[in-house]
């Protein structure tokens, strides 16, 4: 990221039941707390990783890559699940 960014990392508890939702094992919550500027975020993975980027408008991006870059608006957020929906 190139500006003020708060990042939360969420991991599924070991042995947790996935249930019907088939939740991702890992997710990131990214909050841009710069009141004037968008923030460019780049996530680098060790290998090809499925992902879904959620914003206030819904799904902003989805795919499988080793690197994902996207913009978070001023005072905006993104939630990134390490899974893709089919």
């Amino acid at each position: 990221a190139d500006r003020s960014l708060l990042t939360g990392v969420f991991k599924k508890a070991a042995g947790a039941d996935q249930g019907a939702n088939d939740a991702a094992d890992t997710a990131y919550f990214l909050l841009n707390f710069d009141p004037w500027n968008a923030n460019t975020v780049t996530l680098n993975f060790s290998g090809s990783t499925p992902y879904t980027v959620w914003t206030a408008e819904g799904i902003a991006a989805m795919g499988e890559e080793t690197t994902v870059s996207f913009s978070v608006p001023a005072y905006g957020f993104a939630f990134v699940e390490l899974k893709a929906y089919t």
Side-chain angles (χ1 to χ4, degrees):
D2 56 4
R3 292 191 175 81
S4 302
L5 185 75
L6 174 68
T7 304
V9 179
F10 300 88
K11 293 208 170 258
K12 181 183 74 170
D17 182 15
Q18 293 273 17
N21 292 331
D22 189 28
D25 289 342
T26 304
Y28 302 95
F29 183 80
L30 305 149
L31 174 65
N32 178 7
F33 57 94
D34 184 319
W36 299 283
N37 300 295
N39 196 333
T40 300
V41 175
T42 301
L43 300 175
N44 297 299
F45 306 115
S46 59
S48 186
T49 301
Y51 68 90
T52 303
V53 179
W54 296 85
T55 65
E57 290 78 35
I59 293 176
M62 185 170 47
E64 187 167 330
E65 304 289 339
T66 57
T67 301
V68 177
S69 292
F70 53 92
S71 180
V72 180
Y75 276 155
F77 73 91
F79 184 75
V80 181
E81 287 184 279
L82 296 191
K83 83 174 257 182
Y85 292 84
T86 56

